[in-house]
Amino acid sequence: MTSPFPYAPSKGVPWSLTTALSLLLFSILIAPYISSATLYLVKDYVAPNFQTASSAEPDASDPRVFSETNDAEKPESEQDAEKSENELTPKKISQQHQLARLLIRSYRTPAFAVVLIVFFVSVVFLAPITEEFLFRVVLQGAFEKQLEVYPEETPTPHAFGASAPAQLTQDEKENLEAANRKNEMARRLRLAVAIAIPALIFASLHIASPDNVNAPEDIKVVYNLALAHALSNILTLCVGFVALVKIEGATFADLGFDVSFSKLIQTPWNSLGKLMKSWSLGILIMCVVYPIVISVNYVFQKLFPDSIVAPIPIFIFALFAGSVYYRTRRFMTTLGMHMTLNFISFILLLILIYQSA
């Protein structure tokens, strides 16, 4: 049965696993500190106003879910019993992603529009670009090369020696087929490892603990972390591109683009159209994958109601993205998948906020 997706496995990227892991460590350990230090110098110029007119003296009759004054005094069982399952209770807010909590708690403040823009640019735009570049293109590409996952061509009869007969005997054919099946099974196992390890690292970086309901994290601190995260992504992209292209000699094809730089300059519209086609394919694939991811999230949230279970569905998504990238070798396709996932989550979060307000 022929797969509906294109199949264009790479012959191996020019960078090593050491380079890939070094770039990963840079993105985790160095880039965030550089970004945080930069923001510290300009924090007085980028900090919006999160204070509302009534923030000093909260109105006890205000029914908004974001006013936690009365809820904090009640047992959690009573709080949840008084609110419908679709409302954002303080407990549910605490179990959201840190940037989602920022968006929720900034609602009805003068800073909401600014936070909305920062959230969209960081979560829907910058994060997918950086993460797909780092975990699919760089890290998975390096693991595939290290583990030699690329299929080998079936040897011809003359590969067995100059005196080999033109036609193999039945026993020789069976032995050759058995050897090929064994090699293919071993190759697929190595491929699974090459896809799973970057996916596992990617998911583990999303491990978090619920916020303290009675003492939530300072909204200004979370906002500064969001800006630092966005700057860190930009820095990682710049350093990674320079390291791979200028130092390792990577081409656009090595980076997962199905157009060359010269073609992009000579025929920009045709090249952009080709890239958008690959991106659209990722959106279509994600329309199929999303119900699976959201179902996994729902099941584990029910099993572990007091935990943040996001790493599990993220790991499932990353496995799909890694498989698609191996088959298509197209960065724009997995980018389309990731952007679609984050965009749908963003829209659902906004709907939940407005329904609960």
Side-chain angles (χ1 to χ4, degrees):
M1 182 177 178
T2 304
S3 172
F5 304 121
Y7 179 57
S10 170
K11 294 301 182 182
V13 294
W15 58 86
S16 65
L17 184 59
T18 302
T19 300
L21 293 176
S22 298
L23 187 56
L24 175 65
L25 291 177
F26 173 84
S27 70
I28 296 174
L29 301 177
I30 301 177
Y33 287 102
I34 296 176
S35 302
S36 298
T38 303
L39 281 177
Y40 180 79
L41 299 176
V42 296
K43 62 181 179 180
D44 295 334
Y45 303 98
V46 296
N49 179 21
F50 289 101
Q51 300 298 321
T52 61
S54 59
S55 61
E57 298 180 2
D59 186 358
S61 63
D62 191 345
R64 292 176 297 171
V65 297
F66 311 109
S67 178
E68 303 175 6
T69 305
N70 294 331
D71 288 341
E73 299 173 357
K74 300 179 181 180
E76 289 186 4
S77 58
E78 293 184 18
Q79 296 177 29
D80 293 339
E82 292 175 359
K83 301 176 185 291
S84 69
E85 189 172 341
N86 292 327
E87 285 186 327
L88 282 170
T89 63
K91 179 179 178 181
K92 288 182 179 179
I93 295 175
S94 72
Q95 294 172 336
Q96 297 288 329
H97 185 276
Q98 191 178 45
L99 295 185
R101 296 198 294 261
L102 168 65
L103 190 64
I104 294 169
R105 288 173 174 149
S106 65
Y107 187 63
R108 293 184 185 272
T109 71
F112 181 69
V114 176
V115 173
L116 190 66
I117 294 173
V118 170
F119 185 95
F120 183 86
V121 172
S122 178
V123 174
V124 181
F125 186 70
L126 282 177
I129 294 176
T130 306
E131 290 167 353
E132 290 308 308
F133 168 75
L134 184 60
F135 291 98
R136 239 62 63 194
V137 176
V138 178
L139 206 56
Q140 182 176 316
F143 271 108
E144 288 179 8
K145 177 184 178 181
Q146 183 71 24
L147 297 176
E148 299 179 350
V149 304
Y150 312 116
E152 298 179 357
E153 296 182 0
T154 302
T156 63
H158 294 286
F160 294 98
S163 61
Q167 297 294 330
L168 297 177
T169 65
Q170 186 62 31
D171 289 342
E172 289 175 331
K173 287 181 180 180
E174 291 177 357
N175 291 336
L176 179 60
E177 290 176 357
N180 287 339
R181 284 195 299 269
K182 184 177 180 180
N183 291 337
E184 179 62 15
M185 289 181 61
R187 185 192 71 83
R188 293 189 178 188
L189 179 60
R190 297 196 302 271
L191 173 61
V193 173
I195 293 174
I197 293 179
L200 187 61
I201 297 174
F202 173 55
S204 66
L205 294 179
H206 291 78
I207 295 176
S209 301
D211 201 11
N212 189 331
V213 176
N214 298 322
E217 194 171 13
D218 190 338
I219 192 171
K220 292 182 180 179
V221 173
V222 181
Y223 176 78
N224 288 332
L225 288 175
L227 284 182
H229 181 68
L231 290 178
S232 177
N233 282 335
I234 295 174
L235 186 59
T236 298
L237 280 173
C238 294
V239 171
F241 186 82
V242 171
L244 297 184
V245 175
K246 297 298 183 180
I247 300 176
E248 299 288 349
T251 64
F252 266 40
D254 295 324
L255 298 178
F257 293 98
D258 46 354
V259 297
S260 64
F261 181 75
S262 59
K263 286 287 185 182
L264 188 60
I265 298 299
Q266 295 171 2
T267 57
W269 293 114
N270 291 339
S271 299
L272 288 175
K274 196 172 183 179
L275 293 175
M276 288 300 101
K277 185 178 179 180
S278 298
W279 184 68
S280 301
L281 176 62
I283 296 176
L284 292 177
I285 295 173
M286 198 61 219
C287 290
V288 178
V289 173
Y290 186 79
I292 300 174
V293 175
I294 200 67
S295 298
V296 170
N297 182 77
Y298 178 82
V299 169
F300 278 90
Q301 193 65 72
K302 290 296 183 181
L303 293 175
F304 305 98
D306 296 325
S307 304
I308 296 179
V309 299
I312 301 173
I314 287 175
F315 176 67
I316 300 299
F317 160 77
L319 291 179
F320 277 108
S323 301
V324 169
Y325 183 71
Y326 171 76
R327 291 197 64 86
T328 64
R329 200 54 58 180
R330 295 178 183 176
F331 168 74
M332 293 298 294
T333 301
T334 58
L335 178 62
M337 292 178 64
H338 202 149
M339 281 187 168
T340 302
L341 174 67
N342 287 13
F343 180 75
I344 294 176
S345 301
F346 169 69
I347 295 299
L348 293 178
L349 179 60
L350 284 183
I351 292 174
L352 189 58
I353 290 174
Y354 284 118
Q355 285 180 342
S356 301

